[in-house]
């Protein structure tokens, strides 16, 4: 064990982070003298990296900083050049007059500190941070911060991104392609970083003075370091070329698609371009064809709801509607249904706009308004193909709804979606667009509303005591809190320091029985229909979210955020 480890181990024992018995056990279990005992303990999660950082800070008399909780300004970042920060693994955290506070992970590396004091203008004050926090901060603040596009992408290996593009006419000497190379690399960088961050969307938004870049991760937008405003036109033109849009047309919205390989994985990007006051805004939806999980358990059902849902989707006919706002996971739920019932003895056809994922063994039709292939036209043609199961991407109008209902009444099982806030409101919506109440009553088997909530990161999950306002917001029964397992993510490298990783569904399932059919036929208000559903045992979205918070799968705050409109 090295002397460096000796002082850290003693401090960690004094701080109560580890017991002498654990130290002795670790000493005996370290595989070789070259292995550091501190690294050994961190690798086995006996201690945390933040504990080691605080011990270093206490020993050397420096302040410990949590970089993940700081939002550093451009003025502070500019005090240390990118090459210096990257080379010496140092992050500036504050600037006052002629003094710059700089965070490092190893205050015992005197050569490193001497070089920093020589290369950073003014007086340097040291702060201590964990190595993983410094790496994350360097990537966040310096990975895409420099005006030089070449520097911005130098950490990305050649061949990591491979983008299928339409062929362009360039001069024989390749001068045009050479001039565009930095922009190509910059655009590739944006895609790579978004994919690695598990983003579902990339938003490029021209504002008055900045060209803002945001990634949507687990349903929440995160602002990234923005490219220089002067590159806005070049970046937008590049993306329009890649997605086969017209670069000459800047007055109307356009849509396109990019087929991309990132680190050997095939993904699709659905690209939308719309003109705004300060230029064209582009949103790219990332569709990872290889990572789609289609099992019902992955959706977030508890066992009782999953059994109910499996029984419903195994019915021979009728309509099952999934409702919710845009981005609530309706399409993924429908794909999961199809995957569950997909067998060789069943013919399944879908009509989608667009087809997002290719499913083996299922006939998928893409709507094309330009050639007249609308939802209703495709649906009529599908019925002549003698399918057992039909999936409609969305019921949008009376014609589509009528054909779908008639199909369900003639022996077909029909899945589709509607944009309503809760399950009973789907009935009102169908009647409002012109469907006769008796058709709705006789064809509908079940209605399910859903939302997505973020899951607590498994790696940094820890016990948590909710506030009184959170308990009131979810209307918890005090008698059920004895066995509660409230948890919250502390924040780690796996979850990008926010305590959440991935999403799951919360559900409201309304199974239509004879009495409900009678109420639908009588055109009662959705509030009465909702009351009947509650009598049958339907849990609201908030109630389903509350029991998942009780089980430690998500947080009360997340459930309240997702179900703010769920009024009983």
């Amino acid at each position: 064990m090295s002397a460096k480890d000796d002082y850290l181990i003693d401090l960690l024992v004094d701080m109560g982070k580890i017991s002498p018995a654990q130290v002795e056990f670790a000493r005996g279990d370290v595989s070789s003298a070259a292995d550091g005992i501190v690294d050994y303990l961190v690798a086995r999660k006996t201690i945390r990296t933040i504990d080691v950082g605080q011990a270093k800070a206490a020993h050397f008399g420096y302040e410990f900083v949590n970089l993940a909780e700081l939002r550093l300004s451009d003025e502070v970042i500019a005090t240390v050049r990118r090459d210096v920060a990257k080379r010496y693994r140092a992050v500036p955290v504050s600037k006052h007059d002629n003094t710059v506070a700089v965070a490092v992970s190893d205050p015992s590396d005197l050569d490193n500190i001497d070089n920093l004091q020589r290369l950073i203008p003014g007086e340097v004050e040291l702060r201590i941070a964990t190595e993983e926090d410094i790496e994350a901060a360097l990537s966040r603040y310096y990975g895409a911060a420099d005006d030089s596009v070449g520097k911005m992408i130098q950490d990305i290996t050649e061949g990591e991104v491979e983008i299928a593009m339409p062929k362009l006419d360039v001069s024989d000497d390749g001068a045009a392609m050479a001039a565009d190379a930095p922009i190509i690399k910059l655009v590739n960088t944006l895609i790579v970083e978004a994919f690695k961050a598990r983003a579902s969307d990339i938003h490029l938004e021209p504002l008055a003075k900045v060209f803002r870049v945001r990634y949507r991760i687990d349903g929440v937008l995160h602002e990234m370091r923005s490219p220089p405003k002067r590159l806005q036109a070049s970046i937008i033109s590049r993306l329009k070329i890649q997605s086969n849009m017209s670069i000459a047309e800047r007055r109307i919205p356009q849509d396109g698609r990019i087929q991309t390989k990132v680190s050997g994985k095939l993904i699709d990007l659905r690209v939308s371009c719309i003109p705004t006051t300060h230029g064209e805004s582009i949103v790219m939806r990332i569709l990872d064809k290889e990572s789609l999980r289609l099992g019902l358990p992955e959706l977030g059902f508890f066992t009782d709801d999953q059994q109910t849902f499996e029984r419903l989707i195994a019915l021979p006919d009728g309509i099952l509607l999934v409702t919710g706002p845009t981005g609530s996971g309706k399409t993924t739920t429908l794909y999961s249904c199809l995957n569950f019932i997909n067998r060789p003895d069943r013919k399944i056809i879908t009509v989608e706009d667009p087809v997002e994922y290719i499913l083996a063994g299922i006939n998928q039709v893409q709507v094309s308004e330009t050639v007249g292939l609308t939802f209703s036209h495709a649906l009529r043609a599908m019925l002549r193909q003698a399918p057992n199961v039909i999936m409609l991407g969305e019921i949008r109008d009376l014609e589509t709804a009528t054909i779908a209902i008639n199909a369900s009444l003639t022996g077909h099982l029909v899945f589709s979606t509607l944009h309503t806030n809760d399950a009973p409101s789907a009935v009102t919506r169908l009647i409002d667009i012109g469907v006769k109440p008796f058709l709705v009553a006789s064809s509908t088997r079940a209605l399910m509303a859903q939302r997505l909530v973020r899951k607590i990161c498994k790696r940094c999950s820890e016990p948590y005591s909710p506030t009184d306002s959170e308990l009131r917001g979810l209307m918890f029964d005090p008698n059920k809190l004895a066995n509660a397992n409230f948890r919250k993510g502390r924040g780690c490298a796996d979850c990008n320091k926010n305590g959440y990783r991935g999403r799951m569904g919360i559900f409201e399932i309304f199974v239509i029985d004879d009495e409900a059919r009678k109420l639908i036929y009588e055109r009662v208000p959705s509030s009465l229909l909702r009351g009947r559903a509650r009598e049958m045992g339907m849990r609201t979205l908030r109630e389903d979210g509350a029991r998942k918070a009780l089980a430690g799968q998500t947080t009360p705050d997340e459930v309240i955020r997702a179900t703010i409109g769920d009024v009983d």
Side-chain angles (χ1 to χ4, degrees):
M1 187 174 70
S2 68
K4 173 184 173 182
D5 277 356
D6 276 333
Y7 85 82
L8 281 176
I9 290 297
D10 291 342
L11 276 170
L12 289 165
V13 171
D14 292 341
M15 293 166 65
K17 302 297 183 183
I18 189 172
S19 68
Q22 289 173 310
V23 173
E24 289 305 316
F25 178 81
R27 282 200 182 102
D29 203 34
V30 170
S31 58
S32 71
D35 291 332
I37 192 169
V38 171
D39 293 338
Y40 172 90
L41 291 169
V42 169
R44 282 151 185 78
K45 299 182 181 178
T46 307
I47 55 176
R48 302 174 301 165
T49 54
I50 193 171
D51 298 331
V52 178
Q54 289 171 345
K56 289 179 181 178
H59 178 76
F60 287 94
Y62 296 127
E63 180 185 342
F64 179 82
V65 291
N66 189 337
L67 292 178
E69 296 177 353
L70 299 179
R71 186 174 182 83
L72 306 179
S73 67
D74 290 342
E75 181 185 5
V76 170
I77 292 298
T79 58
V80 179
R81 298 200 318 265
R82 181 181 186 276
D83 59 319
V84 173
K86 288 275 189 177
R87 181 174 179 180
Y88 297 104
R89 323 314 294 166
V91 178
V93 294
S94 65
K95 180 180 183 296
H96 181 67
D97 295 335
N98 197 38
T99 302
V100 180
V102 178
V104 297
S105 63
D106 185 5
S108 65
D109 189 343
L110 298 180
D111 288 341
N112 200 48
I113 292 169
D114 286 343
N115 287 327
L116 286 172
Q117 290 174 336
R118 179 172 53 85
L119 293 169
I120 298 175
E123 185 179 346
V124 175
E125 288 185 357
L126 289 186
R127 301 286 187 269
I128 308 301
T130 65
E131 190 171 339
E132 60 183 10
D133 274 4
I134 285 178
E135 292 299 325
L138 288 173
S139 175
R140 179 179 181 186
Y141 293 108
Y142 290 99
D146 200 283
D147 281 359
S148 167
V149 180
K151 287 183 180 178
M152 184 184 296
I153 51 81
Q154 69 181 14
D155 293 329
I156 296 185
T157 57
E158 289 296 327
E160 188 168 17
V161 177
E162 178 185 314
I163 295 185
M165 288 189 56
K167 291 185 178 179
L168 303 174
D169 291 328
V170 297
S171 57
D172 292 339
D173 61 4
M177 186 60 75
D180 285 343
I183 298 299
I184 293 171
K185 290 181 179 180
L186 171 54
V187 170
N188 291 351
T189 301
L190 294 173
I191 294 171
V192 169
E193 289 182 348
F195 182 77
K196 288 181 176 178
R198 302 179 298 106
S200 59
D201 308 285
I202 305 172
H203 295 251
L204 305 176
E205 302 162 317
L207 304 178
K209 295 183 179 179
V210 297
F211 184 39
R212 183 166 68 176
V213 177
R214 294 193 288 177
Y215 296 163
R216 190 183 298 278
I217 303 171
D218 291 336
V220 178
L221 283 170
H222 297 267
E223 190 163 344
M224 300 292 142
R225 296 290 296 178
S226 301
K229 177 73 173 175
R230 60 186 174 81
L231 298 181
Q232 173 181 311
S234 300
I235 292 171
I236 290 173
S237 294
R238 169 67 186 175
L239 285 168
K240 289 174 73 173
I241 290 171
Q242 286 178 223
S243 50
N244 209 19
M245 299 181 193
S246 169
I247 60 173
E249 182 56 75
R250 298 173 182 169
R251 301 164 298 173
I252 59 174
Q254 297 186 70
D255 293 303
R257 199 159 192 157
I258 300 174
Q259 288 228 331
T260 310
K261 256 188 179 178
V262 177
S263 301
K265 293 191 70 175
L266 180 66
I267 64 171
D268 271 1
L269 289 97
R270 269 173 36 202
V271 186
S272 170
C273 177
I274 188 169
T276 68
T277 307
H278 301 292
E280 292 171 288
S281 173
I282 287 186
V283 175
M284 292 181 279
R285 175 93 182 273
I286 300 175
L287 304 174
D288 181 5
K289 292 179 176 293
E290 299 177 21
S291 70
L292 181 66
R293 292 187 174 185
L294 296 174
L296 291 179
E298 282 80 17
L299 295 179
F301 285 112
F302 269 158
T303 304
D304 54 350
D305 280 346
Q306 183 172 330
Q307 289 173 347
T308 300
F309 197 61
E310 288 178 0
R311 177 175 58 82
L312 290 169
I313 63 179
L315 292 172
D317 56 25
I319 288 183
L320 191 149
L321 291 175
V322 182
T323 76
T326 301
S328 60
K330 300 187 299 295
T331 302
T332 300
T333 297
L334 292 182
Y335 279 141
S336 299
C337 295
L338 297 183
N339 187 66
F340 184 80
I341 63 176
N342 186 15
R343 300 196 305 265
D345 62 338
R346 286 191 171 187
K347 184 176 180 71
I348 302 174
I349 305 181
T350 75
V351 185
E352 304 170 63
D353 183 20
V355 173
E356 293 190 2
Y357 299 97
I358 306 300
L359 302 177
I362 293 176
N363 303 275
Q364 294 173 268
V365 178
Q366 170 132 353
V367 169
S368 177
E369 301 281 351
T370 55
V371 297
L373 184 60
T374 61
F375 270 106
S376 56
H377 189 190
L379 188 50
R380 282 197 184 93
M382 281 167 53
L383 294 175
R384 293 192 287 273
Q385 296 270 314
N388 301 105
V389 179
I390 296 169
M391 187 196 94
L392 287 173
E394 182 184 347
I395 292 180
R396 301 183 178 183
D397 51 42
L398 175 60
E399 185 179 12
T400 305
T402 302
I403 299 170
I405 286 174
N406 287 335
S408 72
L409 294 173
T410 53
H412 303 88
L413 181 61
V414 180
F415 296 104
S416 191
T417 69
L418 272 179
H419 289 280
T420 62
N421 286 332
D422 61 8
S425 297
V427 171
T428 308
R429 171 69 178 148
L430 288 173
I431 294 174
D432 284 346
I433 65 176
V435 181
K436 297 290 190 292
F438 75 89
L439 289 175
V440 177
S442 55
S443 64
T444 308
R445 296 289 178 265
L447 307 164
M448 186 177 79
Q450 73 174 68
R451 299 288 189 277
L452 292 177
V453 294
R454 291 180 291 175
K455 293 191 292 186
I456 297 170
C457 175
K458 292 181 179 179
R459 181 176 174 183
C460 63
S461 172
E462 61 185 16
Y464 165 71
S465 296
T467 64
D468 290 340
S469 62
E470 288 174 335
L471 293 174
R472 286 195 303 271
L474 294 183
M475 295 175 290
F476 281 118
D477 182 351
N479 298 323
K480 294 182 179 179
L481 294 181
N483 298 319
N485 181 30
F486 291 113
R487 303 189 73 81
K488 196 167 190 175
R490 183 180 62 253
C492 64
D494 268 13
C495 59
N496 200 25
K497 302 295 181 182
N498 62 28
Y500 298 99
R501 183 176 174 87
R503 289 190 288 175
M504 64 187 298
I506 55 175
F507 306 97
E508 180 177 283
I509 304 175
F510 179 17
V511 181
I512 307 296
D513 65 354
D514 290 340
E515 186 173 340
R517 288 191 180 91
K518 182 180 178 182
L519 293 175
I520 294 171
Y521 183 75
E522 293 173 354
R523 301 188 68 159
V524 302
S526 60
S527 57
L528 291 180
L529 203 57
R530 186 173 180 80
R532 171 57 190 156
R534 296 301 308 280
E535 290 172 6
M536 291 173 58
M538 181 190 81
R539 272 182 294 270
T540 66
L541 289 166
R542 180 159 288 193
E543 288 170 344
D544 190 48
R547 65 177 185 154
K548 286 168 183 171
L550 276 170
Q553 297 177 353
T554 187
T555 60
D557 181 63
E558 186 69 8
V559 174
I560 292 170
R561 180 191 63 81
T563 61
I564 197 72
D566 181 24
V567 180
D568 188 6

